[in-house]
Amino acid sequence: MYCLHRMMMIVMGFNMRYLDLRRKIRDVRMWAIQGIAEAGSGHPGASFSAAEIMGTLYFRRMRHDPSRPGWEERDYFINSKAHSAPGFYSTLAVAGYFPPEEVRTLRKLGSRLQGHPVMYSERQKNYSVPGVEYSGGSEGMGLSVGIGIALASKLDGKKNRVFVLIGDGESNEGQIWEASMAAGKFKLDNLVTILDRNRIQQDGFTEDIMPLDPTKDKWAAFNWQVFEVDGHRVEQIVDVLNKAAQVKDKPVMIIANTVKGNGVRHMANNPQWHGKAPPKRHTEVLLEELESECLIAPSIIAGERENYEDKIRKVEREGVDMIHIDVMDGRFVPNTTFFADKIKKLRPSTSLPFDAHLMIEKPLEQIQEYIDARCDIITVHAEVCTENEFREIQERLIANGISPGIAINPGTDVPEWLYRCLHDLDVVIVMSVNPGFAGQKFMPKVLPKMVEVNKKLREHGFKGYIEADGGIDATTLQQAYDAGARIFVAGNAVYGGGDIHGAVIQLRHKAAVALERRLLNHATQLNIRPDWMKARKHILIPYANELGIEEELHAVK
Ligand code: DX5
Ligand code: ZN
């Protein structure tokens, strides 16, 4: 099923690349927090819980055209939980409806971007924000509006689809349930409603204030087709939206389990941050945190060379971000693992993105097989590509919605031609061992190169991720992190011992320590260290010893 949905996505043209999608959503959070901090008010909690939902819709799923907001064929998005406005505006901006810098005018006098989005009448339409289809603020009404549009489309025989985002606090409103009955009655299969199930509303936790559970059963009882996903996993959102498109004669409810404030650790799952702005002086550090998001990608060739499905399942349970798949052909490297046919077989076992690292002599000749195997990221080696070959690979991957990557061995420098291909490059793997085998020792000599490569690539406009591959474990991760890596491949560290659970916890812990240290240093440079530590106290406590700040933290009141 999974493969089928991915295939359809490509056929239907929803081919935004995984890492590019993640990066855009990261940018959305970064713009939103700047707007909120500048304004001194706004809702970071709801903007962040819904960031992946809105991002996946706008950057990957919806038919829309930022240069023609009123395009007749467009899909509609109704942001019923309108207080997520900073996230919504930022999504529109990153999608291209207006320049993102405008988000900094949020809630200012004279700005189009007010606390709750407004859609003006035809006569005053110049005041409207391009892309906003609905004036929100009073909770509970957006679903009814969405139903109206969906009904009208059906009556007109049009293909437009309607996506409505509602909140769980908002679901206290009676109108939501009246609307729910109506959508069921009219069998609106062109309507998809997404519930941002972050379990927090204005004054506290939803289940204390007005319990919503069993949410799934309620919507099903109102004749909706109900799905449930992790609302921060874009791959799950993409898949469920594809499933939703297949549902007939029923409206679709997607319960997206989310965390309010997700992305900034001290804001996460804390009702205090429902509608509070961070102090403006924290902005730079917060931006750094959002930008420093890191991904863990276990390499399944490490450990026993069997039961790959089972190995994938084991790390999936640990909440890793991707599966790293090392393809070795026995020619480019002195070892053979498996090829595209095996990846194809593994594909249905998980919705986690496949990060395929092709250590093969002639990547261009075989690239189609790996595209067909539905990898999400495909990285080839610079040592075996000319500029033209890589350009062709890159083009084909992009046309198929796959993130392209390039890898360099410890002894290889970034080829000059790569600077001409950065625009659509999503990942650069800087190998920290000579490729060929899992379980080798990390080569610290690649660290200065990683720093240099990162710096130079960024200067030339590279927006993708640096991936560290080879010998990454709890002792080396932090060095690679400090050198600029944000994707960490870990083979032996995860599968080499008997304790996968402990290994992943350790890696995450080390990444968190590296992040907290970085943020603290930044706060120190900005002269806001005590203040930052105060805001961050409960997050810093578990790392205090490793950061050497126990006494200092204890003194923070
Ligand atoms: C090396 C591979 C790596 C490696 C990772 O040729 O590309 O992905 O197997 O395994 P560890 O983390 O054990 O080095
Ligand atoms: Zn690898």
Side-chain angles (χ1 to χ4, degrees), residues 13 91 132 194 229 318 402 425 450:
T91 306
V132 169
I194 302 155
V229 291
E318 301 304 332
I402 297 169
L425 187 66
M450 204 181 267

Side-chain angles (χ1 to χ4, degrees), residues 46 234 240 275 322 330 338 361 397 454 485 494 554:
V234 293
V240 83
M322 318 194 284
F338 42 65
E361 217 175 25
L397 295 181
N454 189 23
V494 171
H554 193 66

Side-chain angles (χ1 to χ4, degrees), residues 299 324 326 357 359 429 431 469 489:
S299 161
H324 186 78
D326 287 305
H357 176 191
M359 283 156 277
I429 296 187
M431 293 299 304
D469 185 2
V489 176

Side-chain angles (χ1 to χ4, degrees), residues 33 36-37 40-49 83-84 86 198 200-205 259-262 264-283 286 289 531-532 534-539:
I33 205 69
I36 296 168
S41 64
H43 296 80
S47 293
F48 286 3
S49 59
H83 57 280
S84 59
N198 58 42
I200 290 177
Q201 60 192 96
Q202 195 160 355
D203 301 314
F205 293 93
V259 175
K260 209 153 193 172
N262 187 59
V264 171
R265 299 180 79 206
H266 66 272
M267 291 183 180
N269 202 24
N270 183 343
Q272 258 191 39
W273 288 99
H274 166 87
K276 190 171 86 172
K280 211 166 147 183
R281 58 188 180 280
H282 287 185
T283 313
L286 294 172
E289 174 171 19
D531 194 44
W532 174 254
K534 191 171 170 196
R536 201 77 167 174
K537 187 167 181 176
H538 64 281
I539 299 297

Side-chain angles (χ1 to χ4, degrees), residues 1 4 27 54 59 118 277 289 301 317 350 458 497 557:
M1 271 320 257
L4 192 73
D27 289 353
M54 291 195 277
F59 309 141
V118 179
E289 174 171 19
I301 61 156
R317 275 200 296 275
T350 181
R458 303 282 169 214
K557 288 283 171 280

Side-chain angles (χ1 to χ4, degrees), residues 306-526:
E306 54 193 23
N307 289 332
Y308 291 116
E309 281 88 350
D310 188 49
K311 284 164 94 174
I312 291 175
R313 241 170 271 129
K314 282 182 174 144
V315 292
E316 185 169 36
R317 275 200 296 275
E318 301 304 332
V320 303
D321 301 288
M322 318 194 284
I323 302 295
H324 186 78
I325 300 193
D326 287 305
V327 174
M328 302 186 183
D329 69 352
R331 289 197 292 269
F332 176 67
V333 283
N335 190 7
T336 310
T337 51
F338 42 65
F339 298 100
D341 53 336
K342 179 69 187 169
I343 302 179
K344 221 173 201 168
K345 287 204 187 96
L346 293 174
R347 187 59 286 188
S349 64
T350 181
S351 66
L352 281 178
F354 276 2
D355 174 29
H357 176 191
L358 307 189
M359 283 156 277
I360 58 178
E361 217 175 25
K362 299 201 166 111
L364 180 56
E365 279 178 19
Q366 287 163 37
I367 201 74
Q368 193 57 44
E369 296 168 34
Y370 295 91
I371 294 173
D372 295 342
R374 305 299 335 137
C375 301
D376 295 272
I377 304 165
I378 299 183
T379 299
V380 298
H381 267 262
E383 295 81 7
V384 284
C385 279
T386 62
E387 174 171 2
N388 283 343
E389 283 168 342
F390 185 69
R391 275 181 188 276
E392 189 175 337
I393 290 173
Q394 199 177 14
E395 258 169 45
R396 282 168 65 179
L397 295 181
I398 287 162
N400 282 282
I402 297 169
S403 281
I406 192 98
I408 51 172
N409 284 346
T412 310
D413 285 322
V414 169
E416 274 309 309
W417 54 257
L418 192 66
Y419 293 101
R420 296 190 284 273
C421 308
L422 295 181
H423 182 62
D424 280 326
L425 187 66
D426 288 336
V427 67
V428 174
I429 296 187
V430 179
M431 293 299 304
S432 35
V433 297
N434 283 312
F437 301 92
Q440 302 185 73
K441 213 168 147 346
F442 180 80
M443 297 164 76
K445 72 158 197 197
V446 303
L447 290 168
K449 181 171 90 173
M450 204 181 267
V451 173
E452 190 54 32
V453 164
N454 189 23
K455 189 167 158 268
K456 236 180 126 186
L457 289 173
R458 303 282 169 214
E459 283 166 9
H460 285 75
F462 174 61
K463 294 209 166 70
Y465 293 75
I466 301 283
E467 178 166 344
D469 185 2
I472 296 294
D473 61 19
T475 60
T476 56
L477 184 141
Q478 190 162 339
Q479 298 166 47
Y481 186 99
D482 290 341
R486 291 293 176 269
I487 300 179
F488 301 94
V489 176
N492 199 44
V494 171
Y495 293 113
D499 182 12
I500 291 176
H501 176 68
V504 176
I505 287 182
Q506 255 196 320
L507 291 171
R508 285 249 183 253
H509 176 79
K510 291 295 175 184
V513 173
L515 169 72
E516 294 305 333
R517 176 168 291 133
R518 204 178 161 83
L519 300 185
L520 260 180
N521 289 343
H522 199 153
T524 311
Q525 282 163 19
L526 295 169

